[in-house]
Amino acid sequence: MKTNIFPAIRLTLVCLVFFSGVYTLMIWGAAQLAPNNGEGELLNANEKTCYANVGQKFTQDNYFWSRPSAVDYNAAGAGGSNKGPSNPAYLNDVQARIDTFLVHNPGVSRAEIPSDLVTASGSGLDPHISRQAAVIQVKRIARVRGIAEGNIQQLILSNTEKPLLGLFGTERINVLRLNIALDNLK
Amino acid sequence: MNTEIPGIVLMYLAVVILALPLGRYIGKIFCHEKTWSDCIFNPVDKLFYKLGGINPATEMNWKKHLAALLSINLVWFLIAMFVLTNMSWLPLNPDHNPSMSADLAFNTAISFVTNTNLQHYSGETGLSYLGQLSLMLWQFISAGCGIAIAGVVFMAMKERNAGKLGNFYCLFVRSCTRILFPLAVVLSLLLLFNGTPMTFKGKTLMTSLQGDSVAVSRGPVAAFVAIKQLGTNGGGFFGPNSTHPLENPSYFTNILETVAIFLIPIAMVFALGYVLKRRKLAWTIFVVMTVGFLLLLIPTVVNEMNGNPAITRMGIGQPMGSIEGKEVRFGPAASAYWAINTTVTSNGSVNAMHDSLTPLSGMNALLGMMVNCFYGGVGVGFLNFYIFIILAVFISGLMVGRTPEFLGKKIEAKEMKIAMIIALLHPFLILTGTAMSSFLYAHAPETYAGWLNNPGYHGFSEMLYEFSSASANNGSGFEGLGDNTPFWNIACGIVMLVARYLPIIGPVAIAGSLAAKKYVPESAGTLKTDTATFGLMTFAVIAIVAALSFFPALALGPIAEYFSIY
């Protein structure tokens, strides 16, 4: 045992310096060359700085709603609901969200609602919704803001993020960017 | 016009194309052959040996290898315990997060030293940046340790190799610096330039467009995430792991991170072919693993894309499938793909909440961990598969009435006993653990009310999943389980410990004992181990061991849940 313990301690300390220290500093050094010094993707909106890909809570009728969140979009304690697919309390929650949505969006039929708009994401910070989820909110926003529906449809079209190279992954809309564009539409 | 399926096909093709050359490279590292990286890492490694007080030329037998491995792991555990219980006053703590309680630190230290990365805490609130960086160290060196010990077994399997197994420290250092380090640098840079943060600043306060004020946690994420994915570690920087938009910002980073899960585990199989100069054997093993993987993957993708039938009954559409616990930027196919990737290897990172998977997908994730050798964790995944090969050789030998041989070495009672113990250890740990926790819960549901986040069958699955994850050294979870309690911290800690070291000791002992035996040249009567027939035999052994041991438990959890909603 003794023949092994001393080299083990010394080797571990060397690894500590190299992998926790040198490696981290290398990447951190490279981060100083990255956009925003490696603080992530930021954007400016109405003189506010936000993380472009950290989802925000949108519940007011004059904005496109984002997905429900198990942590209420708390970006300092992210998390999902962890509800199982058969959990009755969870299914009641989803039912309630559908009802709320229908109340705020008269004229939308139940079958048009896509499930991403009434279920919580894994991180609780999902910045995106599906295109369908944006389209069914157009009527409400047009009415509240007094803008023609066609203009809003146009906005959705120009804010749709295509799958990677048009071939891989999902089509989606960043709710924050869409809502900023909506605010800028005068 | 579906763009989700091409996405996952791309991820799988990319990983196989990258794993082929990487496997050759790993093989060369094990055999001390010349590679492009020598000019950089020869001096680096020399420095490691010099400062570590190690003579890399000292030959070790298999017992000395194990002694070296176990003592260095003990040192790691003690250092990890110290850091985790003293974070609050140590430097690099801009968010003023507290130190861990003793039982949580015990669980976390074991979890990271054993390459499991089961997390009973949330990174944003439970760790300082120093804590994160120390855990990142274990992510490198516990993975390096697994690769090194697989290297020892490869060496022992070589023909006419009488006990020459190299030096453990040397193999370990080479695995860390020449395999893990360069890959981690490349991946973290790619992540960094695609929106993953790398900063030592603490939380920032922001105002949302709607006017709410929100604090956003960040940190040195890019460096951490790269090695977490590559070393089949899986412990996330943030609580919700790679679902978090700062840990996995886009579909592109998701491709990178998914590829990184499989890269080294698959490359290890090709490395075996290179070291033994038996490429056909490597391909046979690869095909068996791939078939097992696809059998779990395809139904999972279909189930997730079809959505949750209980939600269908509410009359709304599910164009994105079952999307509870998933992110819109990944979609159900890429999330299902990741779920199976992460469970068949012992990675355990997630890009969707497994607790919210539809029942049969949850079952497939469980099965991935219960089998634990379809590719498997870096290094140790192959060791698990090795045990099943030994079992298959023995059974085939009995069927044809010859003394079983594997690669020219006779397999006898001693090897078989070890192989059986290791094969049965995994079901034993999972099932007794789950039985114990179910017993406690069923007899005092009020006392343990905080444990389960879901009632009924699904609650049972949460407990089964936790012990499967601990015993497979996986680290993912049905995270609804309220697992930061002394019972779960200590029980899972012990399970992880036993399930890490015994399945390393067993195969190394078998390989060491086989290596010392006389080499019997192949003859017409030798059982060929690189044929489709033998591949099928190995697969059957795996399926029988997994199905017979786990089917009853699965019937009580996910299968019962399936019939309750479909």
Side-chain angles (χ1 to χ4, degrees):
Chain A
M1 201 70 188
K2 223 162 53 190
T3 51
N4 284 314
I5 268 307
F6 290 109
I9 294 173
R10 288 173 62 176
L11 188 58
T12 306
L13 293 179
V14 181
C15 289
L16 178 73
V17 172
F18 189 75
F19 293 112
S20 293
V22 175
Y23 165 72
T24 314
L25 286 178
M26 272 176 70
I27 309 304
W28 181 80
Q32 305 315 306
L33 308 172
N36 303 317
N37 298 334
E39 286 183 34
E41 204 185 340
L42 298 165
L43 57 75
N44 268 307
N46 308 348
E47 288 155 21
K48 294 170 191 160
T49 311
C50 298
Y51 270 100
N53 46 22
V54 174
Q56 297 186 355
K57 183 164 89 168
F58 285 106
T59 46
Q60 293 170 4
D61 277 349
N62 58 343
Y63 281 122
F64 283 96
W65 290 0
S66 44
R67 295 181 63 187
S69 162
V71 295
D72 207 22
Y73 285 94
N74 173 8
S81 73
N82 287 307
K83 297 292 187 198
S86 63
N87 185 334
Y90 157 69
L91 295 171
N92 283 342
D93 284 350
V94 175
Q95 189 64 59
R97 289 174 192 148
I98 296 172
D99 296 339
T100 310
F101 187 86
L102 289 173
V103 169
H104 286 259
N105 295 272
V108 171
S109 80
R110 189 173 272 264
E112 286 174 301
I113 302 177
S115 57
D116 58 297
L117 209 50
V118 289
T119 53
S121 65
S123 61
L125 301 174
D126 195 343
H128 296 105
I129 52 175
S130 64
R131 183 140 138 217
Q132 169 76 355
V135 168
I136 56 166
Q137 303 188 50
V138 167
K139 266 196 189 124
R140 181 191 79 230
I141 289 170
R143 177 168 44 82
V144 175
R145 293 205 171 219
I147 309 174
E149 281 183 28
N151 293 354
I152 302 177
Q153 294 282 10
Q154 196 56 45
L155 219 52
I156 291 178
L157 215 57
S158 60
N159 274 283
T160 303
E161 297 173 15
K162 292 276 166 214
L164 188 65
L165 307 175
L167 294 172
F168 308 113
T170 57
E171 191 181 70
R172 63 215 173 260
I173 290 171
N174 184 311
V175 189
L176 176 63
R177 285 185 199 275
L178 179 63
N179 280 329
I180 292 172
L182 191 63
D183 271 349
N184 293 339
L185 196 74
K186 284 282 147 43
Chain B
M1 205 19 237
N2 186 311
T3 49
E4 290 193 51
I5 300 295
I8 61 177
V9 172
L10 172 79
M11 289 186 237
Y12 189 75
L13 291 181
V15 82
V16 175
I17 289 168
L18 290 172
L20 281 164
L22 181 65
R24 270 177 69 86
Y25 174 75
I26 295 177
K28 286 182 177 173
I29 300 289
F30 285 161
C31 299
H32 290 263
E33 289 169 22
K34 262 182 126 56
T35 61
W36 60 268
S37 62
D38 288 349
C39 58
I40 312 167
F41 291 112
N42 278 347
V44 172
D45 288 358
K46 262 200 197 111
L47 197 66
F48 268 79
Y49 302 141
K50 198 167 163 230
L51 297 174
I54 285 154
N55 177 7
T58 319
E59 282 284 336
M60 292 179 167
N61 63 19
W62 66 268
K63 285 178 190 155
K64 286 191 177 152
H65 273 283
L66 286 177
L69 180 144
L70 293 174
S71 32
I72 202 167
N73 275 259
L74 178 69
V75 172
W76 297 349
F77 170 73
L78 295 176
I79 299 179
M81 277 300 280
F82 172 77
V83 173
L84 295 172
T85 48
N86 290 282
M87 284 181 299
S88 59
W89 59 271
L90 287 167
L92 288 180
N93 190 6
D95 293 335
H96 306 291
N97 286 335
S99 300
M100 282 187 178
S101 64
D103 59 315
L104 180 58
F106 171 79
N107 183 283
T108 309
I110 291 178
S111 163
F112 277 79
V113 168
T114 59
N115 199 250
T116 310
N117 292 210
L118 196 68
Q119 295 169 294
H120 289 179
Y121 63 90
S122 225
E124 298 98 311
T125 50
L127 284 179
S128 68
Y129 291 165
L130 184 79
Q132 298 273 21
L133 291 183
S134 74
L135 296 186
M136 189 176 80
L137 171 66
W138 318 129
Q139 295 191 326
F140 269 104
I141 59 187
S142 69
C145 197
I147 298 177
I149 208 69
V152 174
V153 172
F154 289 4
M155 290 301 177
M157 287 164 73
K158 265 186 156 178
E159 286 172 26
R160 297 191 181 84
N161 183 344
K164 279 208 161 187
L165 303 178
N167 179 286
F168 176 76
Y169 297 115
C170 172
L171 264 173
F172 163 71
V173 169
R174 286 169 73 88
S175 306
C176 291
T177 55
R178 292 169 197 236
I179 301 170
L180 293 168
F181 176 71
L183 288 171
V185 169
V186 172
L187 182 61
S188 50
L189 290 178
L190 282 168
L191 292 173
L192 172 63
F193 283 91
N194 283 286
T196 313
M198 182 72 199
T199 174
F200 284 95
K201 294 183 185 162
K203 273 179 224 168
T204 172
L205 211 59
M206 294 182 164
T207 312
S208 81
L209 201 60
Q210 210 179 248
D212 311 313
S213 88
V214 269
V216 182
S217 288
R218 39 200 189 156
V221 186
F224 190 93
V225 173
I227 185 61
K228 145 199 141 186
Q229 293 302 99
L230 286 164
T232 60
N233 294 293
F237 191 92
F238 299 108
N241 213 295
S242 278
T243 61
H244 196 294
L246 291 181
E247 191 154 336
N248 192 1
S250 64
Y251 196 80
F252 178 65
T253 59
N254 187 61
I255 293 179
L256 296 175
E257 291 183 17
T258 314
V259 165
I261 295 178
F262 262 6
L263 188 56
I264 297 180
I266 294 186
M268 288 302 285
V269 180
F270 296 128
L272 171 82
Y274 186 84
V275 171
L276 300 186
K277 307 280 173 258
R278 286 174 181 269
R279 296 180 59 187
K280 211 180 150 204
L281 176 68
W283 278 102
T284 312
I285 294 174
F286 174 75
V287 169
V288 173
M289 290 176 165
T290 305
V291 168
F293 165 65
L294 290 177
L295 284 176
L296 295 176
L297 175 73
I298 294 167
T300 308
V301 170
V302 170
N303 269 301
E304 292 309 298
M305 291 185 81
N306 280 343
N308 177 357
I311 288 190
T312 310
R313 280 196 285 276
M314 293 179 190
I316 64 169
Q318 296 193 77
M320 299 205 79
S322 167
I323 195 85
E324 176 73 38
K326 294 191 184 64
E327 308 288 301
V328 170
R329 64 189 179 285
F330 310 140
S335 299
Y337 184 73
W338 181 308
I340 297 302
N341 269 241
T342 198
T343 46
V344 296
T345 63
S346 73
N347 189 296
S349 59
V350 296
N351 78 344
M353 289 300 142
H354 288 192
D355 217 345
S356 301
L357 293 174
T358 54
L360 293 187
S361 305
M363 179 179 80
N364 289 339
L366 274 164
L367 273 171
M369 297 188 293
M370 287 162 171
V371 172
N372 206 22
C373 70
F374 293 147
Y375 307 127
V378 292
V380 292
F382 176 76
L383 299 191
N384 294 336
F385 197 85
Y386 181 72
I387 291 291
F388 286 117
I389 292 181
I390 299 288
L391 292 180
V393 166
F394 182 75
I395 294 170
S396 320
L398 290 183
M399 286 162 82
V400 294
R402 278 181 59 99
T403 316
E405 286 163 20
F406 180 49
L407 302 183
K409 302 292 171 76
K410 281 203 167 72
I411 292 180
E412 289 165 305
K414 183 181 159 204
E415 291 81 29
M416 276 315 296
K417 278 183 202 155
I418 301 175
M420 276 321 297
I421 291 172
I422 301 304
L424 295 178
L425 176 75
H426 189 49
F428 174 78
L429 289 174
I430 295 175
L431 297 175
T432 47
T434 311
M436 208 159 63
S437 55
S438 306
F439 177 85
L440 286 175
Y441 185 84
H443 281 77
E446 296 84 23
T447 321
Y448 302 108
W451 279 9
L452 303 184
N453 191 37
N454 290 285
Y457 311 123
H458 197 87
F460 175 79
S461 304
E462 285 182 334
M463 297 191 279
L464 179 64
Y465 197 102
E466 189 71 5
F467 276 106
S468 304
S469 177
S471 183
N473 284 171
N474 184 281
S476 63
F478 272 17
E479 290 299 342
L481 186 76
D483 48 19
N484 184 14
T485 66
F487 172 82
W488 288 103
N489 284 335
I490 294 167
C492 290
I494 294 169
V495 168
M496 285 188 279
L497 211 55
V498 177
R500 169 73 170 177
Y501 296 108
L502 288 187
I504 286 181
I505 295 172
V508 173
I510 294 176
S513 125
L514 288 184
K517 287 186 187 181
K518 217 177 89 206
Y519 179 72
V520 189
E522 277 188 24
S523 66
T526 306
L527 173 73
K528 293 248 191 307
T529 46
D530 53 5
T531 59
T533 321
F534 185 74
L536 195 68
M537 189 68 200
T538 316
F539 188 84
V541 169
I542 295 172
I544 290 168
V545 170
L548 287 186
S549 339
F550 295 113
F551 184 76
L554 292 172
L556 289 176
I559 296 178
E561 188 185 14
Y562 173 86
F563 285 113
S564 75
I565 59 173
Y566 277 85

